[in-house]
Amino acid sequence: MQHEDIIQGLMQPVAQISPKYFYDQLGSKLFEAITNQPEYYPTRTERILLEQRAEDIKRAIGTTHTVIEPGAGNGEKAQILCDILKPQCFVGVDISAEILQEGVARLRHADPNLDARAVIADLTSRVQLPDEIPRERRLVFYPGSSIGNFDPPQALEWLRQARAWIDSSGGLLIGIDLPKEVDVLEAAYDDADGITARFNRNILSHVNRLIGSDFDPSEWSHQAFFNPVASRIEMHLQADTSQSVHWAGGGRDFVCGERIHTENSYKYPLQVFAGMLRQAGFARVQSWTDERGWYALLYAQP
Ligand code: AVJ
């Protein structure tokens, strides 16, 4: 259960909260604002890549009957891809029901012939897709470098699940953020306007509502840095003062300077990620990269 899961994370020697709890209503809005910050290049770079290479990507993928997008959110990226591929059916999968249903409705409005559906599910566990979704010519679309939130073993597990969703006529189109200069990476997760800092702190307000805790977000500082050994951006919240936090049935003391780990965002070299795709059962892999070499889209087939 959500409740126990959060409390268990908070009781670890180094406290942690899963990044899936960033996305309450305000958190989803703040994330959207992050994607518009000048420092946050991934969303913009991916969109430009998809638009500029649309013809090549379309040729590589061929006819698609059903696009399945885990983490579809507001459906903005789905719109771009559906314009390119013109599938008959779209299935958005997300934990945030309200935003997903809005997104699916918008897609349907843009193309009344598109059979657009919403599946509400927590993507950090295995997801069973409804039986009525056609099996032939599925494309799993996982943009935004969302896979970067998982540890490499979980990421591999996720890729195996994507492989299980498709048959030999299907494929996976996935975006990954590549390693690059540390300054560029760190600025992307600590924008000058402080939007990412607000996004990070907001997780405490969400947790307060979920478990009835009394975190004071204003007592915590946003930290984001690149960990070169693990090749990941880490986000933490650092206590500005020593404090006690309570929740129903428990609590924890934090000393000044102690941290809560809120997110990892892995940056995979292209060849490393292509190797993971092969391990997950995708034999053929094609890729497109922007001219700076910051971001890649990969198309993988069984
Ligand atoms: C949604 C997981 C792709 O890791 O870049 C952005 C989340 N966190 N800024 C990322 C995020 C802070 C984002 N993903």
Side-chain angles (χ1 to χ4, degrees):
M1 213 190 86
Q2 217 174 42
H3 220 92
E4 264 98 77
D5 171 52
I6 295 170
I7 291 168
Q8 208 216 337
L10 289 172
M11 297 302 288
Q12 297 298 308
V14 176
Q16 55 186 60
I17 303 172
S18 166
K20 70 184 177 194
Y21 298 114
F22 280 133
Y23 302 96
D24 64 352
Q25 215 171 18
L26 177 59
S28 299
K29 288 270 173 324
L30 288 169
F31 177 68
E32 213 176 304
I34 287 173
T35 65
N36 291 320
Q37 295 309 299
E39 296 93 337
Y40 192 76
Y41 60 85
T43 311
R44 194 173 308 119
T45 307
E46 182 178 66
R47 194 193 318 113
I48 293 169
L49 195 53
L50 197 55
E51 284 167 353
Q52 287 184 345
R53 309 302 295 274
E55 280 308 311
D56 296 342
I57 293 168
K58 187 182 167 73
R59 200 173 315 120
I61 297 174
T63 311
T64 297
H65 188 282
T66 301
V67 170
I68 300 168
E69 186 182 344
N74 63 11
E76 200 181 311
K77 289 166 185 170
Q79 186 67 69
I80 300 174
L81 190 70
C82 288
D83 284 345
I84 297 171
L85 296 178
K86 311 245 186 285
Q88 283 102 300
C89 181
F90 174 83
V91 182
V93 188
D94 213 306
I95 190 171
S96 173
E98 210 175 313
I99 291 176
L100 177 64
Q101 264 140 9
E102 228 175 81
V104 163
R106 201 173 310 141
L107 282 169
R108 234 185 258 130
H109 186 76
D111 177 5
N113 291 322
L114 182 70
D115 174 9
R117 309 171 190 211
V119 173
I120 313 303
D122 178 358
L123 292 158
T124 56
S125 354
R126 275 215 160 235
V127 178
Q128 199 69 43
L129 294 175
D131 284 336
E132 58 278 10
I133 296 164
R135 299 218 139 260
E136 275 281 289
R137 297 202 163 270
R138 285 181 178 176
L139 179 75
V140 177
F141 180 42
Y142 202 40
S145 73
S146 302
I147 190 102
N149 266 172
F150 296 119
D151 288 337
Q154 296 172 318
L156 187 59
E157 200 36 49
W158 194 96
L159 294 175
R160 291 201 167 107
Q161 157 153 305
R163 174 64 190 84
W165 280 345
I166 60 169
D167 64 13
S168 60
S169 67
L172 166 68
L173 183 65
I174 186 166
I176 62 162
D177 193 22
L178 303 171
K180 61 187 62 62
E181 294 77 52
V182 171
D183 291 355
V184 174
L185 284 171
E186 291 186 342
Y189 292 85
D190 194 8
D191 60 280
D193 276 359
I195 310 290
T196 309
R198 281 176 62 198
F199 172 75
N200 197 8
R201 262 187 226 107
N202 178 62
I203 207 170
L204 296 178
S205 311
H206 190 203
V207 162
N208 281 344
R209 288 199 311 279
L210 290 169
I211 67 167
S213 51
D214 58 358
F215 279 103
D216 178 353
S218 72
E219 296 278 299
W220 296 81
S221 293
H222 169 64
Q223 305 265 320
F225 56 84
F226 186 65
N227 172 341
V229 176
S231 190
R232 67 189 190 201
I233 284 281
E234 294 185 14
M235 294 213 316
H236 301 261
L237 288 163
Q238 185 169 308
D240 294 337
T241 56
S242 295
Q243 56 197 281
S244 300
V245 177
H246 316 88
W247 51 80
R252 174 173 184 160
D253 296 334
F254 291 93
V255 298
C256 180
E258 199 170 349
R259 286 172 179 165
I260 303 173
H261 191 171
T262 52
E263 184 169 47
N264 292 320
S265 187
Y266 282 83
K267 310 302 169 187
Y268 294 104
L270 192 54
Q271 289 318 315
V272 171
F273 197 76
M276 287 166 65
L277 283 165
R278 284 189 201 95
Q279 269 192 73
F282 294 94
R284 292 165 291 166
V285 178
Q286 283 169 269
S287 63
W288 299 271
T289 310
D290 60 298
E291 53 287 349
R292 291 184 295 199
W294 283 6
Y295 196 91
L297 276 169
L298 295 94
Y299 177 56
Q301 291 168 276

